[in-house]
Every structure is written in structure tokens, then in C-alpha cells.
Amino acid sequence: MYKPRKPFVPALYNCTFKGCRRALKTARGLKLHYESHIVPRDLRFPPNTAGPSNDQRDQASPPPPPAELEDAASLPPQPPSPTFSSRRAPCRTPSVSPQRTPESPRHDGIPVNDVNSNGERIEVHPLLDGIPCDADGFDLADDALPPPPEPHDPTDFSPFPDRAKFEYAEFLFTKDEMSASNLDKLLTLTTALNPDRPPPFSGHQHMYGLIDAIKQGDVPWQSFSVTYQGQLPDSQPVPSWMLEKYEVWFRDPLEVLENQIGNPDFDGQIDYAPKRLSRNGKRRYRDLMSGNWAWEQCDKIAVDESTHGASFAPVILGSDKTTVSVATGQNEYYPLYASHGGIHNSVRRAHRNAVALISFLAIPKTSRDHKDSPEFRKFRRQLFHASLEHILSSLRPHMTKPRVTKCADGHYRRVIYGLGPYIADYPEQALLACIVQNWCAKCTGKPDDLDGGGIPRSHEHTSLLLETFTLKDLWESYGIVGDLVPFTDSFPRADIHELLAPDLLHQIIKGTFKDHLVDWVEAYIKLAYKDTPRRAAEVLADIDRRQNCCGPTLPRSPALPAGQRFQTVDRQRLEGANEGVVYLAAIHGHVPAWMTRAVAALIDFCYLVRRSTIDEDALASIQDALSRFHHYREVFRNTGVRPEGFSLPRQHSLTHYPFLITQFGAPNGICSSITESKHIKAVKRPYRRSNKNKPLGQMLVTNQRLDKLAAARVFFNSHNMLSGPGSPVIAALRQLDLSQTTAPQPPPSLRTLSAQPLLPPDPLETRDSGEVDGPRSMSEIVLAKTYVRKVPSNIHALAAHVKQPDLPELASRFLYNQLHPDADIPATQLPRHQLPVINSKVRIFNSARAVFYAPSDLSGVGGMRHERIRAARSWYGGAPRYDCVFVGKSDEAGFRGLHVARVFLLFSFIHDGVAYPYTGMWMVEPDVRLRRGCLRRVLETLPSVSGF
């Protein structure tokens, strides 16, 4: 029978914590969200003590809301997060502050160079310590507060008339990406449905005009043209590329970086000075500013005493060509991105405007007969370097003289810029370093024996070689393109050879693992069964089957659809799915032991370098894993798969990782997966929204409007204008009596159809895994929103249905532990007749969503990630899915303290009015003390795990 839908209740209460976009339907729901998902006050570092660790500071949480929270608008504003710094040297500029001693506290109350609550000692650069100053550049007193923000009317959403129209425009342009014609159609229908009320906009031009009038984040696009200035050939016709004008569009990187530095959304997530982290006397490397490179740069800057007390701001650059259409003309674009290096890695990976598009570089093209000509190749390289030099020219004056800039915490600082790591894959690195392909951009190792050793490359070394050898000798003996000058040669303290960043995606995951090892294993199998090709095909098919099917201990890989070969898996999905472990189990028994050991050594290396914090012990483990990989990979040479050896640039780059980690911190914050993900938002989607007729101009406007809307949202959020029910939207909705709204009864012929869900599913309900926006919070597991129907609801009948006769007893013992957590006799030893009886209905669920802290994986700004745990006979009409999980069994570190378990059933029941969601591997216990008993769910070891 048709059941009318429940009346729609809008989610009107927004979480005010920065980075969290959760919206709740009631004020009580918002209160519970604060107290159950945000770290409580008693778990935070105590006041007036050593500050939090860097990880804690990255996701510093607000205090719980007041006990009597009746309205979301009463939530307290977010206090500024603390920042670390060191003792300032004697005043270099006129200042009102006295000279400090090393034991003096900073203006934020944190002792200088002390040990934080995580046991880490933090040492900040003694001269370039990023001390706050006033708007004129004079140092402030240690206890000085930031200047108060300019007053702003909380009802002023200029240029929009009110909040409703701003959020309406933001939704249509940013979320829905509605075209202009569809927008006009929507406004027409809105007018027809409500003739007495005017539509929010008169048309798409009206809405676009309001977006263009936003002042926040307004960095206009500029352009310059480049033409070939060399001698034209006497022969006719002249190649077209010599006569063409190449236009480069860019935005002032200085303005873009100042917007990032001053973004209040990044407060507490920016380092204003280099720092050295250590624990138990051992260095720890995390963000870029924790590496040796930033410290060394400040040592060079500090030679000029006028820079003392300034804040060092390294500029991370990244560029990579991307294709937006293949069948319609192979349209390519060459975006250039920039990011402030002081922003923490977790924020940069979350793409919350921490990586900005600053240019579209020109791509010269010519016919096939001129494509490989030396003149064209030289011009193409010169165009690239000349464009970068001109785009970044606005930063050059402030690489030696500080510029007073307002920062995210509200303070002013004297900021001095410097070119930082450059994110690029190998072809791009060769272009940047002006070297010949197949040579290393970091050292002078020979292309036929890259691992044989070589000295580090540098501008000084190249200059000496230019004075001694001819261009031909440089090309053949050193792999240097001598008639090119890298763009970094025009900027102080910049050397492109030391700035090339490690690339986890292209060098390890896609390069060494997928393009090398996977192909070599397949080549070995074909070579081993060259006399029986049919047997080789059967072995390869069995490897695919092992990856695609659910084995007793191997879950189906979420990154590998059934029937798809491993070699065709998308590289970004490969990175997120940890497919290497699945592949290692799949090839076991089909290849020699040394091959599996080579794959295992590389997987160890990959997991170690992907950590968010790498200490000296981890560096030793990285070097050990690399040595094992080099030892065991010889099996491919001995079996004839790779007789020419392993002189491969991407594989050779692994030897530079230990040093680069000490220079730039953890590589997961400067990986090309960040820029490739940015391609989707900055290039691919804007291209699809264009009319494909000269789309570049439309893409520029789209990116500018997206940045303005994002900056406007940050501005309104910083003034607490987007939280609480006091908005025109909610005022209008409250005029409707939603409680009396009922769905109309459909005709009988449509009742069967109406029983099916007509709305699209929640993306978080359907995605297997992904990042979670918002702050760092406690881990949780939440069952799916809907339960399985047409199955027994009695626990004894359910046990027979799932063929688990011990289910009622196991569930009763679980319930006993919940009712008697401090009992002297554990539930496993209690007689069966003394166990509580479950008489209520039991609900079965096909999946559960686990949210946890995983900063080394693709995660949100708070380091949070979610994954789907499935236990279903048929997942979306396909094969059964019974996933494997790790369950805590002891307090031992790492995997020693975990059980490997397979989930066969997800269910919940109610006992004495309390709901117990039970998965056989986790339980409920009190989280925070609330008047009505708020509960949280945490993973724990249960004896019943082995019973399923």
C-alpha cells in the first residue's frame, strides 16, 4: 500500500566550526553534533601549558556549546587557534615590545621552544620567526591582540540583497553548475508557480552580474603575448608556428597568495616560520615548514638584518597538461597552480582554496614535418620558461624586501616570499631542469646507469660546465640543454634542481608499481609459458579472478570492477584503494618468491613515504625497504624479463626520497595527485560548462566566479552570517505549516511506482570511500539509513535465515556487556540462562559508513576519511559483498593489535528503549555526559567476532 512521504524538514542549523559543512535540522541535533563529533574540552590541551602537537593544532576544535543551547545562533564564535614561534631576536624595527628571554611566552601564551602535549619539541627559526606587527610594519608586544575586524552589518550580503539570494546563486553556479538557458527556464517556472512573488533573479545575466560584483577574492585575469623573434628561414613557406602569436592568461600570484595567507578559514593551519620537530631526540618531518629546506632558506634571508622578524612564505608551484576532450579535437590546456607553502599538508590535500589556478600557459603546435625540428623544440622550451618568469615577476621584489600582509589569525606580518617546491611529473621535470630526456633532473647519473651514482645538479655546476664545454658535449656527457636558461635563474635563492618535489603518484604508484612491476610480472608469466600460451592466459585470468572475487581473507577491491584488468585501472583510484596489497596476494603462487618480495618491498616503501609524519626511524625503514627492493628486483633481470637493467628515471627517483623528505617534509602534501585533482574543478568542469566555442575565455570567467563565491562564503562565515535560523530563508519556511503537509494519494496504477525512491541517493551513502569535510573528530561507524525488508525480524528466526545458530547467544552476551560494563564476571563466562533476552525486532542493514582519521590518505581538511563497509547478498544488483575489516584486539602498536575479520551481518535491535546498533565487531559506550545520555560508537574487540 502506498505510504505518504514524511513532510520535508529543511536542514537550517549549520555547524560554525571552520571546515565543517554539516547542516542539522534542529538546534538539539546541532548541539549533539558539537558534543559527539568535536573533541570535548577535557581531551584538549590544558590552558597555559605547552601548546598542542602539530597534528592537534591542525584540527584544533572549539569548546562545547553552552549547556542550554536553544538556538544555533547562540553558538560562540570560533576562538583564534594558537601558533608556534620562537624567541624573537632584539628588535630590528621600531617596536613597542620589550626584548624577550628564551623562557618568555609568546603573545599567544605558548612557551618558546617547549615540549607540547604530544611529546614533540618545537624549535622555531630564531630570526625569521614571523612576529606579528602593525599595519605599518612595527613589531607588536608579545601579548598584543590582533586588530579588531572592520565592523560589518550581519544583514549585509552585498552585492546580494539577502542571504537567500546568495545561497541560491551559490547553489546554482557552484553545486548544480546550471547552464544559463536552464537557469532562465527555472526562473520562468518559478514565476509561473508563484505569480505573486518575483523570482530571485530576473535572468542569468542578473545573477552573473551579482556574482561578478563580489569584492572578496577578486583577482582579475591579465594576458600577454609571445611571438617568435628568431630569424625566419629563407625557404617558403615559413612554418606557421614562427608567425603565430601565443597568448598567456594569468592572475597576479602576489594577490592570490595574499588571499590565501589572509583566509580566516586557514587560521591555525598555517606556519608563519620554519620549525624543527623532534621527539626523544629524533627529528620528525611533517609539513613543508618542518623540513630543512625552509630553515636553510631563512638562514640565507637572515643575512640581511632588515628581514629579521619577517614571516617566510614559500610558493609551491605545479603545472601539468590535461586533455578535456579526445573525440572532438584533442583539446589540451596547460594550467599553472600556486599554493602558500606554509599551509599544512592536510589543508592542501583537501583543496579548500589552498591550491589556486594562476595561469593557462600557451601550448605551441605545428605540423608533423616541423614537430621534431630543433628550432621548434627550442622555442617551445623558451616559451615555457619565459612565461613562468613573467607570471611570477610580481613576487620578485618581495623575495628580498618584506611586504606587510594581513594573515589568517587577524595579525599583520612582514612576509618575504621565495620559490618553493615545484610539483611535476618526469617529462615536466626534464623541461623545468633543462635536461635531456632519460637523464635525472636531480643528479648527474648516466642514463644507462642512473643508480650508479652522480653528483647533485645545481645552477652553479651548470654555469661552470657552460664555461668549459660546448653545447654538444653538455648534451651528450651531462644531459644538459645548454642553450636554455631555467626560469629560476631570475629569482633569488632559487635553484630548480633542488626545488623539484617528489611525486608519489607518477614515480611510485603509477610509475614504478603499475607501469614497471605489473607489466614485468605479466611479461614473466608469458615468458615462462611461452610454449603453452593457453596456460599463460589461464594464469593471468586467475590473477584477475583473485582481485575481482571475494576470497576467504581477500575482500573485493573497490577500485577494480569485475572483468577489468589491473593494467587499465585509473591511477587516482589505484592510489586511493591501496591496490598494491590486493595485487600482491593475487600473484602469490604464480611467480617466484623473489618477485613477490620485490613487490612487497615496494609496497612497504610506498606506505612509509605516504605517512603524514615521518621520523628518523621511519627514514631508516624507508632506506631499508628501498635496499630490499633493489636486491629482489634482480630477479627480473635474471629471468630475462628486464635484461637491459633498471636505469629508469621514475624508478631511480626513489633513491632521492630520503633526502627530499628531510628537505620538504612528508611527500603527501606536494604530490601531483593534488594538481591532477584540481584539474577537475579548474579545467574540466569549466570546459564542460562552456559552449565549446573559444572556451578559454569562458573558463577564465567561470574560475573567477567560483573563487569569488568561495571567498564570499568565507567572509560571511567569519562574521557568523551563515549560521543559525535568523535568515530570510528560514523565516519564509517557518511561515509554512510543514507538520500539516501530507503527500497526495497517487492513482492506483502509480502506487507500485511510487513505492520506489524517486530522489537520487545520498552521495555519502553510495560512495565506497572518500574524504570527509570538517574538523578532526572521533571515529564513528553509522549504519545505513534504510534497513533490509522481507527478512525475519525475530532474532531466532534471523539466526536460521542467515545460518548462524549462535547469533542469539552472541547478541545477548554483547547486550550484557553493555548493561553491565563493570561486571566482575565477563559475558563470555556467564551461564546462558543468566543472559538478557532480546525480544524486540531486529533490523538488518546492507552497509555501514566508517568515519576515521587518516591524514596520510586522501582526506578532508581535518584529516577525516570515510569508507563503506558492506555485508549484502547483492550489492546494487550485482555480486555479493562481504567486506573485510580490522578489529582491535590489544594495545599493541600497528597491525599486531588488530584482528582481520570478515563482516557477514550488520543489524541493530532495541532493548528497554535503547537502540543497540550491532555489527559483531563494535559496541556502544558513553562519549560525553549529557542530560539524556548521548552515546558514541567505537571499535572494540568482542569475543563474538570469531563466531561469525
Side-chain angles (χ1 to χ4, degrees):
M1 179 181 294
Y2 171 79
K3 295 182 179 180
R5 291 183 179 272
K6 295 181 179 180
F8 171 73
V9 179
L12 308 178
Y13 298 84
N14 297 325
C15 179
T16 58
F17 184 81
K18 57 178 182 297
C20 183
R21 302 182 180 180
R22 184 74 178 270
L24 288 307
K25 295 182 178 180
T26 63
R28 173 168 175 77
L30 181 62
K31 177 181 178 180
L32 296 179
H33 166 70
Y34 261 74
E35 296 185 335
S36 61
H37 291 74
I38 305 299
V39 179
R41 180 184 297 273
D42 58 351
L43 297 182
R44 303 174 66 211
F45 62 92
N48 299 325
T49 64
S53 69
N54 194 60
D55 279 340
Q56 292 170 329
R57 186 162 51 92
D58 286 351
Q59 290 86 22
S61 305
E68 298 294 333
L69 177 60
E70 298 297 335
D71 197 301
S74 63
L75 291 173
Q78 174 65 20
S81 301
T83 55
F84 292 98
S85 184
S86 70
R87 180 181 63 86
R88 180 181 47 175
C91 298
R92 280 78 56 182
T93 57
S95 173
V96 297
S97 63
Q99 181 178 349
R100 286 198 306 269
T101 63
E103 294 75 19
S104 301
R106 293 269 314 180
H107 67 281
D108 46 22
I110 299 175
V112 177
N113 296 341
D114 207 341
V115 178
N116 60 24
S117 59
N118 199 34
E120 292 178 336
R121 181 180 184 272
I122 300 180
E123 178 186 0
V124 181
H125 197 277
L127 298 179
L128 271 74
D129 55 358
I131 189 68
C133 64
D134 58 20
D136 297 322
F138 294 97
D139 289 353
L140 295 178
D142 297 332
D143 56 351
L145 298 176
E150 297 182 1
H152 185 80
D153 185 359
T155 63
D156 181 12
F157 287 86
S158 300
F160 294 91
D162 49 46
R163 171 184 171 181
K165 291 181 174 58
F166 165 73
E167 294 192 327
Y168 192 88
E170 183 189 35
F171 171 79
L172 293 179
F173 194 85
T174 304
K175 300 295 184 181
D176 190 73
E177 299 180 355
M178 185 173 292
S179 64
S181 58
N182 288 345
L183 176 58
D184 290 338
K185 183 68 174 178
L186 175 64
L187 295 174
T188 301
L189 294 175
T190 303
T191 305
L193 291 173
N194 300 279
D196 298 334
R197 296 182 179 180
F201 309 105
S202 60
H204 73 274
Q205 293 182 346
H206 181 206
M207 190 185 81
Y208 293 164
L210 291 176
I211 297 176
D212 293 336
I214 297 176
K215 297 180 180 180
Q216 295 82 11
D218 185 13
V219 183
W221 287 95
Q222 310 173 45
S223 68
F224 61 89
S225 299
V226 181
T227 56
Y228 176 73
Q229 299 295 326
Q231 184 177 0
L232 299 179
D234 296 333
S235 60
Q236 297 295 332
V238 177
S240 59
W241 66 268
M242 293 185 177
L243 304 176
E244 191 172 346
K245 181 182 294 186
Y246 300 96
E247 196 167 24
V248 178
W249 286 89
F250 73 101
R251 292 191 289 184
D252 187 353
L254 180 62
E255 295 186 40
V256 172
L257 291 169
E258 286 186 342
N259 286 341
Q260 292 181 0
I261 296 175
N263 189 340
D265 212 19
F266 298 157
D267 182 19
Q269 298 166 339
I270 296 181
D271 292 321
Y272 299 108
K275 59 187 179 183
R276 288 174 176 169
L277 306 178
S278 61
R279 179 193 288 176
N280 300 327
K282 297 181 179 180
R283 281 288 301 275
R284 296 167 64 85
Y285 304 93
R286 187 177 294 122
D287 304 306
L288 174 62
M289 301 294 273
S290 67
N292 294 331
W293 174 84
W295 194 284
E296 294 168 357
Q297 289 288 302
C298 288
D299 287 342
K300 297 177 181 179
I301 297 172
V303 174
D304 182 1
E305 294 186 0
S306 65
T307 63
H308 292 183
S311 173
F312 179 52
V315 182
I316 298 177
L317 299 172
S319 61
D320 183 27
K321 291 181 183 178
T322 181
T323 303
V324 295
S325 64
V326 177
T328 58
Q330 194 75 13
N331 293 321
E332 290 183 321
Y333 292 95
Y334 207 162
L336 174 67
Y337 304 104
S339 176
H340 177 29
I343 298 176
H344 294 166
N345 288 349
S346 59
V347 181
R348 190 175 300 109
R349 290 197 307 271
H351 305 297
R352 295 184 53 240
N353 298 321
V355 179
L357 174 69
I358 63 171
S359 176
F360 278 101
L361 303 175
I363 305 178
K365 295 183 179 181
T366 186
S367 57
R368 289 188 178 182
D369 53 342
H370 298 289
K371 181 179 180 181
D372 296 326
S373 64
E375 295 82 7
F376 177 72
R377 288 187 297 178
K378 179 179 179 180
F379 171 74
R380 185 178 57 190
R381 297 188 184 106
Q382 289 178 334
L383 173 63
F384 175 78
H385 286 277
S387 299
L388 289 179
E389 180 183 352
H390 183 79
I391 292 170
L392 301 173
S393 59
S394 62
L395 295 172
R396 187 184 293 110
H398 307 294
M399 292 181 177
T400 54
K401 182 180 178 180
R403 176 183 173 91
V404 177
T405 305
K406 189 173 183 179
C407 300
D409 59 357
H411 278 291
Y412 287 93
R413 287 178 176 86
R414 295 183 297 121
V415 177
I416 188 164
Y417 293 91
L419 293 186
Y422 201 112
I423 303 174
D425 58 4
Y426 176 73
E428 193 90 355
Q429 289 184 356
L431 175 61
L432 286 161
C434 299
I435 64 168
V436 183
Q437 291 286 334
N438 297 324
W439 288 73
C440 177
K442 307 287 292 187
C443 68
T444 58
K446 300 294 183 179
D448 56 349
D449 186 19
L450 287 172
D451 294 337
I455 64 174
R457 294 185 184 271
S458 65
H459 285 345
E460 291 77 10
H461 180 252
T462 302
S463 300
L464 292 175
L465 294 177
L466 286 171
E467 297 175 358
T468 308
F469 298 97
T470 63
L471 296 180
K472 182 179 179 181
D473 293 335
L474 291 174
W475 182 285
E476 295 176 352
S477 301
Y478 293 94
I480 296 176
V481 184
D483 54 353
L484 288 178
V485 178
F487 78 96
T488 52
D489 193 59
S490 302
F491 297 91
R493 308 179 306 277
D495 190 330
I496 188 59
H497 300 291
E498 72 173 13
L499 294 180
L500 293 176
D503 186 2
L504 298 176
L505 178 60
H506 291 93
Q507 292 173 348
I508 300 179
I509 298 171
K510 184 184 182 298
T512 304
F513 181 72
K514 180 173 177 289
D515 292 345
H516 296 165
L517 291 187
V518 174
D519 290 345
W520 294 350
V521 168
E522 182 173 349
Y524 165 78
I525 294 173
K526 293 180 178 179
L527 185 63
Y529 300 100
K530 61 181 179 181
D531 297 332
T532 55
R534 184 179 183 85
R535 176 55 184 166
E538 291 176 354
V539 172
L540 294 174
D542 185 61
I543 293 176
D544 293 340
R545 180 189 60 80
R546 291 185 180 187
Q547 295 176 94
N548 293 334
C549 299
C550 297
T553 59
L554 182 65
R556 173 186 290 270
S557 167
L560 191 63
Q564 185 175 1
R565 295 300 303 274
F566 183 85
Q567 287 80 357
T568 62
V569 176
D570 180 80
R571 56 194 178 201
Q572 291 186 4
R573 296 169 65 190
L574 177 68
E575 180 188 25
N578 299 326
E579 188 68 23
V581 179
V582 179
Y583 182 74
L584 178 64
I587 66 174
H588 179 69
H590 289 305
V591 297
W594 272 41
M595 287 190 183
T596 57
R597 291 171 184 171
V599 174
L602 181 65
I603 292 174
D604 289 343
F605 181 89
C606 180
Y607 272 98
L608 288 168
V609 298
R610 285 181 60 192
R611 290 182 176 180
S612 60
T613 301
I614 302 176
D615 57 14
E616 293 182 2
D617 292 336
L619 283 174
S621 300
I622 289 172
Q623 190 62 54
D624 175 70
L626 185 60
S627 300
R628 287 189 285 114
F629 172 67
H630 285 169
H631 174 70
Y632 290 119
R633 72 178 179 180
E634 291 295 326
V635 68
F636 295 104
R637 191 204 304 264
N638 299 334
T639 55
V641 175
R642 189 72 186 176
E644 65 273 26
F646 311 100
S647 187
L648 302 165
R650 289 184 177 89
Q651 199 166 130
H652 163 72
S653 65
L654 272 60
T655 61
H656 296 294
Y657 268 62
F659 173 73
L660 292 178
I661 290 172
T662 62
Q663 291 293 101
F664 301 135
N668 60 9
I670 47 177
C671 176
S672 62
S673 60
I674 296 175
T675 56
E676 291 209 0
S677 298
K678 188 69 176 179
H679 287 339
I680 300 175
K681 180 179 179 181
V683 183
K684 297 182 181 295
R685 287 181 178 174
Y687 175 81
R688 298 190 190 109
R689 298 173 65 167
S690 69
N691 60 11
K692 313 303 186 295
N693 180 23
K694 297 180 179 180
L696 180 57
Q698 303 169 56
M699 295 164 63
L700 299 177
V701 174
T702 298
N703 274 282
Q704 189 170 16
R705 288 169 176 167
L706 290 172
D707 289 346
K708 286 188 172 186
L709 286 170
R713 169 165 283 276
V714 170
F715 176 80
F716 296 147
N717 261 331
S718 65
H719 290 81
N720 297 322
M721 298 169 60
L722 297 179
S723 60
S727 70
V729 177
I730 300 175
L733 290 173
R734 284 180 171 175
Q735 295 178 2
L736 303 176
D737 189 1
L738 297 179
S739 61
Q740 300 299 326
T741 304
T742 57
Q745 291 287 341
S749 60
L750 296 180
R751 289 183 181 178
T752 302
L753 179 63
S754 301
Q756 303 296 327
L758 301 180
L759 297 177
D762 185 353
L764 293 180
E765 287 293 315
T766 57
R767 289 195 307 174
D768 288 335
S769 61
E771 62 275 10
V772 176
D773 289 332
R776 177 179 176 180
S777 60
M778 295 182 180
S779 301
E780 65 168 351
I781 297 181
V782 181
L783 293 173
K785 294 182 178 180
T786 57
Y787 59 87
V788 180
R789 304 181 186 277
K790 298 182 179 180
V791 294
S793 59
N794 180 272
I795 194 167
H796 298 280
L798 178 63
H801 179 74
V802 299
K803 300 179 181 179
Q804 294 290 339
D806 294 334
L807 178 62
E809 179 183 351
L810 294 174
S812 296
R813 296 190 185 277
F814 160 78
L815 179 59
Y816 178 83
N817 285 333
Q818 301 304 301
L819 299 176
H820 308 282
D822 300 325
D824 296 333
I825 303 177
T828 54
Q829 301 178 9
L830 199 69
R832 188 170 183 176
H833 67 275
Q834 296 183 14
L835 295 175
V837 179
I838 301 175
N839 296 319
S840 63
K841 291 184 178 180
V842 179
R843 302 299 188 186
I844 308 300
F845 298 85
N846 283 331
S847 67
R849 177 171 172 259
V851 181
F852 51 92
Y853 179 64
S856 296
D857 296 325
L858 298 177
S859 56
V861 64
M864 301 300 294
R865 178 178 175 82
H866 80 91
E867 288 191 5
R868 178 67 48 186
I869 302 173
R870 289 148 296 204
R873 292 188 174 183
S874 177
W875 184 251
Y876 279 90
R881 298 295 297 268
Y882 297 100
D883 289 343
C884 292
V885 295
F886 290 112
V887 183
K889 66 177 180 179
S890 66
D891 295 333
E892 295 185 50
F895 289 102
R896 295 184 181 88
L898 299 175
H899 272 305
V900 178
R902 196 175 183 194
V903 182
F904 284 97
L905 190 65
L906 298 166
F907 66 96
S908 69
F909 58 87
I910 298 177
H911 182 78
D912 291 339
V914 179
Y916 293 91
Y918 177 56
T919 65
M921 60 180 177
W922 55 284
M923 58 189 295
V924 294
E925 69 178 19
D927 180 11
V928 291
R929 299 295 180 182
L930 299 179
R931 289 176 298 178
R932 298 186 181 180
C934 176
L935 299 177
R936 72 161 175 171
R937 296 169 292 275
V938 295
L939 282 168
E940 286 198 0
T941 305
L942 292 179
S944 57
V945 173
S946 59
F948 285 90

